[in-house]
């Protein structure tokens, strides 16, 4: 079994860091392991927790990430690591015990440069569970393979990722200027360099999403903004589904304005009423999605699921429009802060 290096950026993760590291150290994998934590300037006890973990286990190493951004932290951790297989991990994720052995086997069997599996979101509160349902449903995040079960095969991108070091080094690592969507951007460069990215649904990762709608909105606004930056940079290489939330927000805004003008008596009802049909169609689509999404119990769950979907769609869409017009700037996800 080849030796593996796990790399994890850490910022304000005191409630999740210890458990995330435990799932790595307990991997059912016979090869040599090391964990490199890239510590940002956390405002909570994350860094002291990391120092305590590193002092107790020599397999855990620490590096500084003064830039605090995820891509920079990953690059710092990769440079400080030493093994031929690099596994990206997240403080809000928990690996299944066989994650590493299955991932390394897929690298060998397929010849891929990067292998990723399924992100299975989970929640502990009613709101977080609703947000998890949005993550796990195609009605929430669209058609990304790693948000649901599927068949193994070549992929556009990969969740987290189990990489061959030589592939990451060949393309220069993560782009520190891309503050969100860095996984997709890196995998695009890997594929353009002639390497294979592989989806392996047998790989499972539990992901703990944001726990409030306010934090979810911040996260998705930043995600939409940086998706627009990637659209400006890579154009048609982006799947069509990434344009949908921005178009949705524009159509909803037009519908609401027209409806408001009709209610105020500025416009007649007549044919102008066609203008707010996108608003009605979207409301019906949300009702249909809420009806189809599994795992809900009672009216409260369904209302929370509907609020989750609307927050995801509109926050991403508004961020996308901001990014198309003005670029990314320093829009970052501060919801973990």
């Amino acid at each position: 079994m080849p030796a593996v290096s796990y790399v994890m950026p850490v910022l304000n993760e005191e409630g999740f860091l210890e458990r995330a590291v435990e799932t790595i150290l307990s991997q059912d994998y016979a090869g040599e392991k090391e964990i490199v934590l890239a510590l940002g300037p956390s405002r909570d006890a994350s860094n002291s927790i990391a120092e305590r973990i590193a002092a107790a286990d020599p397999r855990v190493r620490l590096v500084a990430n003064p830039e605090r951004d995820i891509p920079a932290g990953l690059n710092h951790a990769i440079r400080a690591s030493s093994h031929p297989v690099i596994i990206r991990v997240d403080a809000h994720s928990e690996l299944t015990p066989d994650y590493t052995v299955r991932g390394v086997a897929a690298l060998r069997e397929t010849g891929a440069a990067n292998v990723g599996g399924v992100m299975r979101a989970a929640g502990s509160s009613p709101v977080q569970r609703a947000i998890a349902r949005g993550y796990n449903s195609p009605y929430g995040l669209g058609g990304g393979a790693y948000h649901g079960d599927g068949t193994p095969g070549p992929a556009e991108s990969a969740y987290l990722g189990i990489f061959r070091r030589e592939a990451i080094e060949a393309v220069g690592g993560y782009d520190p200027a891309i503050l969100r969507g860095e996984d997709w951007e890196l995998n695009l460069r890997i594929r353009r360099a002639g390497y294979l990215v592989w989806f392996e649904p047998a790989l499972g990762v539990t992901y703990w999403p944001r726990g409030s709608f306010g934090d979810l909105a911040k996260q998705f606004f930043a995600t939409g903004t940086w998706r627009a930056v990637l659209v400006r940079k890579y154009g048609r290489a982006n799947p069509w589904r990434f344009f949908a939330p921005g178009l949705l927000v524009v159509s909803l805004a037009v519908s609401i304005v027209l409806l408001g003008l009709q209610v105020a008596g500025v416009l007649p009802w007549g044919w102008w009423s066609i203008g707010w049909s996108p608003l009605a169609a979207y409301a019906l689509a949300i009702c249909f999605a809420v009806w189809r999404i599994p795992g809900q119990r009672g009216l409260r769950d369904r209302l929370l699921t509907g609020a989750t979907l609307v927050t995801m769609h509109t926050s991403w869409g508004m961020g996308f429009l901001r990014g198309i017009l003005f670029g990314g700037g320093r829009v970052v996800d501060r919801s973990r802060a």
Side-chain angles (χ1 to χ4, degrees), residues 39 44-53:
L39 304 182
D44 62 8
S46 295
N47 290 2
S48 60
I49 293 172
E51 290 166 0
R52 173 169 53 79
I53 295 172

Side-chain angles (χ1 to χ4, degrees), residues 21-226:
V21 172
E22 286 176 0
T23 68
I24 297 169
L25 295 177
S26 61
Q27 286 290 289
D28 183 15
Y29 185 73
E32 184 180 350
K33 297 189 288 282
E34 68 173 355
I35 306 173
V36 183
L37 306 179
L39 304 182
S42 294
R43 298 180 180 177
D44 62 8
S46 295
N47 290 2
S48 60
I49 293 172
E51 290 166 0
R52 173 169 53 79
I53 295 172
D57 195 312
R59 294 174 294 178
V60 181
R61 300 168 55 199
L62 310 178
V63 295
N65 177 26
E67 299 91 344
R68 75 178 280 155
D69 298 321
I70 291 174
L74 288 168
N75 286 338
H76 290 313
I78 290 168
R79 284 192 292 268
S81 67
S82 56
H83 296 325
V85 175
I86 297 171
I87 301 180
R88 177 181 172 175
V89 287
D90 186 89
H92 267 69
S93 298
E94 298 176 9
L95 309 181
T96 56
D98 60 354
Y99 181 84
T100 303
V101 69
R102 285 181 178 269
V104 171
L107 281 181
R108 287 176 159 179
E109 292 166 4
T110 64
N114 184 21
V115 172
V118 178
M119 180 187 75
R120 294 187 173 92
S124 59
S125 69
V127 172
Q128 192 179 41
R129 286 193 292 270
I131 293 172
R133 290 192 291 272
Y135 266 91
N136 293 332
S137 169
Y139 300 112
L141 287 183
Y146 54 82
H147 292 298
D149 296 326
T151 58
E156 169 192 323
S157 186
Y159 176 57
L160 299 179
I162 300 174
F163 299 86
R164 297 180 187 271
R165 176 180 291 275
E166 63 265 25
I168 288 185
E169 292 178 344
V171 299
Y174 290 88
D175 185 344
I178 303 297
L179 303 186
R180 297 286 295 180
E182 70 283 348
D183 289 320
W184 183 89
E185 196 274 343
L186 173 63
N187 282 289
L188 175 64
R189 286 187 283 119
I190 287 174
R191 289 187 288 111
R192 286 184 169 181
Y195 295 100
L196 174 66
V197 177
W198 189 265
F199 172 63
E200 179 48 69
L203 299 178
V205 181
T206 299
Y207 172 74
W208 297 92
R210 306 308 192 262
S212 72
F213 292 126
D215 287 344
L216 182 68
K218 294 175 185 176
Q219 178 193 16
F220 272 66
F221 183 86
T223 300
T225 298
W226 286 97

Side-chain angles (χ1 to χ4, degrees), residues 255-322:
S255 294
I256 292 171
V257 169
L258 290 176
L259 180 60
L261 291 175
Q262 287 181 309
V263 171
V266 177
L267 294 176
W269 288 96
W271 288 104
W272 284 103
S273 299
I274 297 175
W276 49 267
S277 58
L279 180 62
Y282 181 64
L284 291 174
I286 291 296
C287 291
F288 175 79
V290 169
W291 174 64
R292 289 296 302 271
I293 291 176
Q296 303 176 89
R297 297 179 180 178
L299 178 61
R300 183 179 70 166
D301 274 5
R302 296 186 183 277
L303 291 174
L304 291 175
T305 299
T308 294
L309 298 179
V310 172
T311 301
M312 286 179 164
H313 300 159
T314 57
S315 299
W316 181 308
M318 288 187 288
F320 184 87
L321 296 176
R322 193 269 185 212

